[in-house]
Amino acid sequence: MTQKERYEAAKEMYAAVGVDTDAAIAALKEIPVSLHCWQGDDVTGFDHDGPLTGGIQTTGDYPGKATTPEQLMQDMEMALKLMPGKKKLNLHASYAIFEEGEYVDRDKIEPKHFAKWVEFAKERNMGIDFNPTFFSHDKVKDGLTLSSPDEETRKFWIEHGRACIRISEYFAKETGVPCVMNIWTGDGYKDIPADRMGPRMRYKDSIEQILAEPFDKNLVKPCVESKVFGIGVESYTAGSAEFTLSFAATHEGCLPLMDNGHYHPTEVVSDKIPALLCFFPEIALHITRPVRWDSDHVVLFDDETKEMAKEIVRNDALGRVYMALDYFDAGINRISAWTVGFRSWQKALLNALCTPNKELKKLQDENRMTELMVWQEDIKTFPFGDVWEEYCRQCGVIADKSWFDAVRTYEEEVLSKR
Ligand code: RNT
Ligand code: ZN
């Protein structure tokens, strides 16, 4: 059978359960997913020489990591070619690009320091998302930034946040696509604090001061990302789930951002997505793979990933959920890591779009739970691979694992010479 024939056969099988695979493919092509620049250089950035801090860690020392803006862009370009679908670029403030001999601190960064990224994004028809960088910097005082009791420190980081709002608006204006600006800090304590509310009150005030910077709410979408704990900050996190969710709920235009690595191991974000959608017009996600903790392994096409995508699709929320990848594996080829993760999320979305959601909901509402189980198990072995292959073909990318040949060649010709 040719690929075309296999797709036609699959299409028929899906049609029999009420799924239009052509429509699924067409829909997926229009859904932007944000690709994080930081997988390419182990979250290092270009504005400092110090270590990665903030309670996050990259592990591994696979050779060939990008160390300059040119290398990072070149590597990302390579990865982009291997991914089907619509992409957005996700940048951190630490990826500012300075002229030879120029340097400004994070409270003084300006749109011009990101002009090269704008050029990169525009050439590839991508919007841009942005993240102030509240870590890996000598002004992180005693592990604290926006929640610091030291007013000078706190002021510095507030100014950084405000500078990032201005840069986010510039991205949106340049690309014509709204910019999601995510606030995450690793602020917290290794051991039992004596004051849990004080840091949170300061954090609250700091975010309010950042959001007081004037901006167009249609262009900039500020988010607050929660976390349960980080390495070295195991006992207390200022930006906990309750804190960030309450902040977003009480500040118009501010979105909650859930990173599925930031919860206790038996909690699942797939169940939290519909809960938040009952209250928030829009929400944001960081999609990762936590292995026992917030380990930021490469996203795979696994059960929870599929379930998260299903919750977005079956609740008709593709236009309400901003999706971004967030992981960093330094132990394998970084271009491959980018590619596998992006393709996995694409597969999860396509799989969700090829699920007979209406029929399944009906079974649930009619309390036909036995049949619901039978159906849900049955569709698991439908010929999804044939639909994926057709999607990749239409997007002009290789469907099977042979895309890796190009990565191997690139590794030999480019990465190994660094
Ligand atoms: C850290 C958060 C945060 C970072 C990026 C680099 O635990 O997930 O989103 O991963 O900002
Ligand atoms: Zn995250």
Side-chain angles (χ1 to χ4, degrees):
M1 260 209 249
T2 63
Q3 183 265 323
K4 205 83 217 153
E5 286 163 350
R6 272 187 286 118
Y7 175 62
E8 289 305 323
K11 185 174 152 175
E12 240 176 73
M13 215 171 147
Y14 277 101
V17 292
V19 171
D20 180 345
T21 53
D22 285 342
I25 288 172
L28 184 53
K29 285 185 196 163
E30 300 307 316
I31 303 162
V33 174
S34 212
L35 183 68
H36 55 314
C37 72
W38 52 92
Q39 165 58 62
D41 73 336
D42 311 342
V43 209
T44 308
F46 309 126
D47 73 342
H48 69 100
D49 299 322
L52 175 61
T53 67
I56 53 178
Q57 245 175 35
T58 52
T59 51
D61 57 357
Y62 200 83
K65 115 175 183 179
T67 55
T68 64
E70 294 71 29
Q71 289 179 354
L72 189 60
M73 287 181 194
Q74 189 188 3
D75 291 358
M76 192 181 247
E77 168 63 13
M78 181 67 210
L80 288 169
K81 283 194 209 143
L82 307 170
M83 303 165 177
K86 189 166 171 165
K87 297 105 187 171
K88 218 175 164 186
L89 171 64
N90 204 357
L91 294 176
H92 244 284
S94 52
Y95 290 78
I97 301 175
F98 299 116
E99 296 289 321
E100 195 53 52
E102 182 199 13
Y103 172 76
V104 294
D105 213 341
R106 288 194 192 157
D107 58 336
K108 301 264 164 23
I109 48 170
E110 291 175 52
K112 68 173 184 193
H113 300 121
F114 295 87
K116 291 209 175 104
W117 283 115
V118 166
E119 205 182 303
F120 179 88
K122 276 177 157 178
E123 278 168 14
R124 289 158 187 83
N125 226 340
M126 297 159 93
I128 306 178
D129 290 333
F130 200 44
N131 305 260
T133 312
F134 298 105
F135 54 84
S136 301
H137 192 279
D138 56 13
K139 289 204 170 65
V140 178
K141 197 176 176 214
D142 306 325
L144 304 174
T145 61
L146 293 177
S147 69
S148 174
D150 178 65
E151 278 304 302
E152 211 181 299
T153 298
R154 198 163 74 89
K155 179 94 185 73
F156 173 83
W157 290 109
I158 291 167
E159 286 310 316
H160 175 54
R162 296 176 70 116
C164 287
I165 294 255
R166 298 190 289 271
I167 295 164
S168 297
E169 196 166 62
Y170 154 75
F171 285 153
K173 283 184 178 155
E174 286 288 328
T175 61
V177 181
C179 173
V180 175
M181 192 195 98
N182 176 46
I183 296 175
W184 170 76
T185 74
D187 288 24
Y189 288 103
K190 179 186 170 86
D191 226 318
I192 303 158
D195 176 14
R196 294 170 189 272
M197 190 169 159
R200 289 185 175 134
M201 286 305 286
R202 290 189 291 270
Y203 195 7
K204 174 171 178 275
D205 176 76
S206 298
I207 309 171
E208 282 167 352
Q209 287 195 50
I210 291 171
L211 301 186
E213 178 71 22
F215 65 93
D216 183 338
K217 285 204 170 110
N218 295 312
L219 298 182
V220 181
K221 308 277 178 174
C223 309
V224 278
E225 178 181 9
S226 70
K227 190 153 178 173
V228 62
F229 81 93
I231 298 281
V233 276
E234 290 87 357
S235 298
Y236 169 83
T237 298
S240 61
E242 294 74 15
F243 174 87
T244 55
L245 199 51
S246 305
F247 187 95
T250 52
H251 292 74
E252 229 212 297
C254 185
L255 282 57
L257 186 146
M258 294 189 291
D259 179 316
N260 64 309
H262 292 189
Y263 297 87
H264 292 288
T266 55
E267 283 184 77
V268 281
V269 164
S270 54
D271 187 62
K272 299 175 193 295
I273 292 168
L276 264 53
L277 286 174
C278 295
F279 298 94
F280 292 92
E282 295 183 317
I283 64 169
L285 292 179
H286 270 182
I287 302 150
T288 186
R289 178 166 53 108
V291 179
R292 303 188 189 282
W293 69 289
D294 182 36
S295 61
D296 286 295
H297 280 62
V298 176
V299 174
L300 302 179
F301 185 46
D302 58 21
D303 283 350
E304 172 55 8
T305 305
K306 287 182 200 169
E307 213 56 26
M308 283 166 63
K310 279 191 217 163
E311 286 302 332
I312 300 167
V313 168
R314 63 190 169 198
N315 294 314
D316 235 343
L318 281 165
R320 296 170 59 196
V321 182
Y322 295 98
M323 301 173 278
L325 302 179
D326 178 19
Y327 55 79
F328 22 94
D329 190 339
I332 55 174
N333 181 296
R334 293 171 184 81
I335 292 157
S336 185
W338 254 328
T339 309
V340 169
F342 193 91
R343 289 170 65 106
S344 296
W345 183 245
Q346 289 279 302
K347 282 182 190 165
L349 288 171
L350 187 61
N351 179 64
L353 287 160
C354 289
T355 301
N357 295 308
K358 267 206 195 94
E359 284 72 7
L360 297 178
K361 275 187 195 187
K362 189 163 175 277
L363 292 175
Q364 176 179 322
D365 290 344
E366 291 172 359
N367 198 32
R368 293 155 67 187
M369 303 311 273
T370 313
E371 280 165 273
L372 178 59
M373 182 193 278
V374 172
W375 269 66
Q376 294 203 116
E377 285 308 292
D378 195 51
I379 51 177
K380 280 185 184 169
T381 50
F382 266 40
F384 173 69
D386 296 332
V387 184
W388 169 252
E389 216 176 325
E390 174 62 11
Y391 174 62
C392 288
R393 189 193 66 77
Q394 289 188 27
C395 292
V397 306
I398 298 169
D400 69 12
K401 65 181 184 324
S402 62
W403 59 260
F404 186 70
D405 294 347
V407 175
R408 191 185 292 115
T409 306
Y410 186 81
E411 179 165 293
E412 280 160 18
E413 289 174 0
V414 182
L415 302 180
S416 68
K417 305 216 162 94
R418 285 184 184 158

